[in-house]
Amino acid sequence: MSFLTASLFIGGLAAAIVPLLLHLLMRSRPRRLPFPALRFVRSTALSNERHFKLKGLLLMALRILTFVVLGLALARPVLTTSSQSGAGGSGFSGPVAAAVVIDTSPAMNYRKANTTRLSLAKRKAEDLLARLPKGSSIAILDSSLDGDSFQVDLLAAQQRLARLETSAVNRPLAASVLAGLRLLASSELPYRELYIVTDRRAQAWPDRLRASIQDAVNAAARTDGTGEGGLSSWLLDVAPDSPENTSIAQTGLAADAIAADSPIRFDLLLRHEGVEKDVMVELVWDESAPGKDSVGNASDVSEPGADAIPAAVGTVHFPAGESVRSLVFQLEGLPAGLHQGQIRLAADDPLSDDNIRYFTLEAGETWHVLLVGKAPAAESTLFFREAISPEEFRTAGRAPFETNACDWQELERMSESDLANYAAICLFDPPGLAPDLIQRLSRYVELGGGLGLFPGANATPASAFQTPECEALLGCRLAVQVRVPDWDVTLVPVDLENGIMAPFRQFPDDIIPWSRMTVGRYWQLTDLSDRAQVVLKYSDGRPALLLAPFGRGTVVTGTTPLSEGPRSGAWNHFATGEASWLYLVLADAITRCLSAGQVAPLNYTAGELATLRPRVEAFPESVVLTMPDGERVSLQTHVETREVRFGGTHLPGSYRVRSSADGERAGLDCGFSVNVNADDFLPGTLGREEIDSCWPEGQASWLDNTNELQRHAGAARGSGELMPWLVVLLGLLLAGESVLSNRFYR
């Protein structure tokens, strides 16, 4: 037999002295009184005295026993069978293999009553560890990507538990559960126990992993030859009641690089759950922006303070419940250089981790774009040129693109160094491309250039575009031309999250006239590669616009020309039809996507490998990286590829990379930003029954508190708690004491 709280049993024994002391202190003493001879009643008095003492001793014994049983009941003794309590046995007195899984994703920082979900989970886990049998094998698993092992002993497990913190780089809780089950399956101890502390977020239990848990449970639930052992699973719920949270889901930047002095647009997406409220959103530049201090030297990364003046402010009204709202920030042109900032909620809420999004932008010189068409090139490319660089903008010096037009013969004569002068090259209705030109264009895109190909009637023979080199570059195969006699095929957007489609997120779906973007003829694309992404499709389901990364650059393949006027035999009327404004937005978005291809991404999700390709003449062999917390790290660069790589992006915030620690003006100066995964904060929780479905029926139990654990665990380990029987005995003793004391004091 063992006790869950042996100290209470000792207290009960100590309390048993109280009735004994009271009995001794309250003994009645005889009084001497003058009275006649009592010879005839003396014998009766002696008999009554003996009877009185007997009842007093019995009453004292009942009271002492009441305190003893009360202490015993509070100590909660557990009875184990002899087969389980011997050396190496697996009953309650023997060791078990236990895995405690705790969610440490940023969402566990949700605070209620000044306590985070993680703090509550750690307290429950501490109580669990205190209730495990001595000598048990214990594993503490969290949402991080390492540490899946049994701790050396209980003290090591307690220390690891105390050190647990949330991390922006995490895996779903279900993945940690699978890791815990694999550990338990490897244990030689017959009794294995799994404890999961969860806030029941749906993102922590993705369907793809939930389906795998049952197989892992069956593997860990094996028993020994005698039928003893197996797996027991318990879940402890730390989900908040009536959660309330507002999060910034995305900043909606179309590109990480823009032309200097060109306007920049942020299409924000915000999510809310909880009560009705108005939320103010601010855009604030870092104190280091635009990247130079008063003496012209690059300043360190420094987040803006709470009193910083926002560059843009907006207010969003959320109704009660779950809702999604959008907000647009339109800023004037930025000067050339690196710009870092943040978009944040003006007021805090119970979960602060999703109240801020960091961003980095690089404003460079006006992008040079080469437009290639049939001679005269100025006419064949006119509509596209006016769409991306209108004449009034060029005259005022506000055009984001500087365009040059040439015909096919001029393009054939250009060398790789000539092509490298352009941020993007767009080919309109090209004839069959020569193999050496395809090779030069492929090399151009590999080094970071952007290539747009928009074939039409002149793209013949088709076999010239069906070579392995051309298909590898485009990420698809130009198969055959398709005629639409009734012009009843229209454009349909596929993915508004794509960078090309970012400008359209500001408009409601019902006001964008995609149905008026009709075509009479187009090329059918087949054999799409895995890297190719369909941006637009036709209403008949075939691809209309394809985006495919190639090396450092990007290739956009259209299936119909994008610079046609109102002429006979035109394949489309995009530029001159009823929805010409839609053509202007689409042409600008495609060109920006292609032009930004020479700049590596500047905004990452925590855990991703950050790769920078700064454009400097003298590329340094090492750089100094300043992290968001101010720590400085020396990095070796990749001089041969002219890249700076950093894989330790575990802290959200803005990073700065320079060629020296003292911030010299000359040399390399670039940076990037890291954010937590916005999907970690999606609203919605699973019901307990949905999580129960991950286990075979009846093999998982929910514990409202850890005090319930021992009763359930005792049954699973083949042991029984005696407290219910002791409570019954205590009631009988109290009843007996009451009856006897009433008769005694009558």
Side-chain angles (χ1 to χ4, degrees), residues 547-567:
L547 184 148
F550 186 81
R552 298 181 185 173
T554 304
V555 178
V556 173
T557 304
T559 57
T560 188
L562 283 189
S563 190
E564 288 199 317
R567 61 178 178 81

Side-chain angles (χ1 to χ4, degrees), residues 2 80 84-97 131-137 189-191 193 717 719:
S2 58
T80 58
Q84 296 164 331
S85 58
S90 57
F92 179 76
S93 60
V96 299
R131 297 173 184 271
L132 291 175
K134 293 181 179 179
S136 295
S137 297
L189 294 172
Y191 282 88
E193 299 175 357
R717 299 169 189 160
S719 58

Side-chain angles (χ1 to χ4, degrees), residues 209 348 358 618 701 734:
L209 296 178
D348 207 356
Y358 302 92
S701 303
L734 290 174

Side-chain angles (χ1 to χ4, degrees), residues 195-413:
Y195 302 95
I196 305 168
V197 190
T198 175
D199 62 354
R200 295 190 285 113
R201 287 182 308 108
Q203 291 71 39
W205 300 90
D207 292 339
R208 60 184 176 82
L209 296 178
R210 290 166 58 190
S212 304
I213 291 180
Q214 285 205 18
D215 294 336
V217 167
N218 292 331
R222 71 182 191 280
T223 59
D224 59 18
T226 64
E228 294 183 355
L231 173 70
S232 300
S233 302
W234 290 281
L235 299 100
L236 287 91
D237 194 347
V238 294
D241 298 328
S242 304
E244 181 179 347
N245 182 49
T246 305
S247 64
I248 303 174
Q250 64 183 26
T251 57
L253 276 172
D256 295 348
I258 60 173
D261 299 321
S262 64
I264 181 66
R265 181 189 182 93
F266 295 84
D267 293 290
L268 308 181
L269 186 68
L270 300 100
R271 296 191 181 99
H272 175 75
E273 60 177 333
V275 299
E276 180 180 5
K277 66 186 301 186
D278 291 324
V279 176
M280 181 178 292
V281 186
E282 303 174 338
L283 187 151
V284 185
W285 297 110
D286 289 354
E287 292 178 1
S288 59
K292 308 296 178 185
D293 60 24
S294 58
V295 297
N297 294 325
S299 55
D300 286 335
V301 175
S302 179
E303 290 192 4
D307 57 348
I309 300 177
V313 178
T315 302
V316 181
H317 176 77
F318 291 101
E322 294 184 9
S323 56
V324 178
R325 293 290 183 270
S326 59
L327 181 66
V328 176
F329 285 155
Q330 182 85 35
L331 303 181
E332 294 300 324
L334 297 175
L338 189 73
H339 303 272
Q340 295 182 315
Q342 54 184 253
I343 297 172
R344 65 191 186 187
L345 303 185
D348 207 356
D349 62 12
L351 182 58
S352 59
D353 292 61
D354 58 357
N355 291 354
I356 185 170
R357 302 290 291 181
Y358 302 92
F359 65 86
T360 296
L361 288 170
E362 183 177 333
E365 298 178 355
T366 301
W367 284 321
H368 294 262
V369 179
L370 180 63
L371 307 179
V372 186
K374 66 180 180 180
E379 294 183 8
S380 61
T381 63
L382 172 65
F383 288 95
F384 196 86
R385 184 182 73 244
E386 289 300 313
I388 65 173
S389 183
E391 183 178 359
E392 59 269 27
F393 280 28
R394 297 195 302 270
T395 303
R398 297 174 51 206
F401 306 104
E402 182 176 321
T403 60
N404 290 338
C406 74
D407 57 30
W408 302 108
Q409 288 71 26
E410 293 175 283
L411 179 65
E412 289 280 359
R413 292 192 293 269

Side-chain angles (χ1 to χ4, degrees), residues 361-562:
L361 288 170
E362 183 177 333
E365 298 178 355
T366 301
W367 284 321
H368 294 262
V369 179
L370 180 63
L371 307 179
V372 186
K374 66 180 180 180
E379 294 183 8
S380 61
T381 63
L382 172 65
F383 288 95
F384 196 86
R385 184 182 73 244
E386 289 300 313
I388 65 173
S389 183
E391 183 178 359
E392 59 269 27
F393 280 28
R394 297 195 302 270
T395 303
R398 297 174 51 206
F401 306 104
E402 182 176 321
T403 60
N404 290 338
C406 74
D407 57 30
W408 302 108
Q409 288 71 26
E410 293 175 283
L411 179 65
E412 289 280 359
R413 292 192 293 269
M414 287 187 180
S415 64
E416 290 187 12
S417 59
D418 294 329
L419 298 178
N421 293 324
Y422 297 97
I425 299 174
C426 296
L427 310 180
F428 298 97
D429 196 7
L433 303 180
D436 62 329
L437 178 58
I438 293 178
Q439 183 178 3
R440 275 179 282 146
L441 291 174
S442 298
R443 180 61 179 166
Y444 162 77
V445 178
E446 274 186 327
L447 294 177
L451 176 66
L453 179 76
F454 309 102
N458 292 326
T460 54
S463 58
F465 297 91
Q466 296 171 352
T467 63
E469 293 77 14
C470 187
E471 292 180 5
L473 174 62
L474 302 181
C476 64
R477 179 186 182 91
L478 268 69
V480 295
Q481 296 181 22
V482 178
R483 294 181 179 271
V484 186
D486 298 328
W487 286 63
D488 57 354
V489 171
T490 64
L491 293 180
V492 178
V494 175
D495 181 14
L496 289 179
E497 299 302 318
N498 184 277
I500 292 179
M501 303 303 293
F504 299 101
R505 291 199 290 264
Q506 61 179 298
F507 305 109
D509 294 339
D510 56 352
I511 72 168
I512 302 179
W514 293 110
S515 60
R516 298 181 183 177
M517 300 285 280
T518 59
V519 297
R521 197 171 173 185
Y522 65 88
W523 279 91
Q524 180 180 351
L525 303 181
T526 61
D527 300 336
L528 273 62
S529 68
D530 294 338
R531 57 187 172 86
Q533 180 182 2
V534 178
V535 180
L536 290 169
K537 67 179 180 179
Y538 292 116
S539 54
D540 61 7
R542 290 170 176 159
L545 190 70
L546 203 69
L547 184 148
F550 186 81
R552 298 181 185 173
T554 304
V555 178
V556 173
T557 304
T559 57
T560 188
L562 283 189

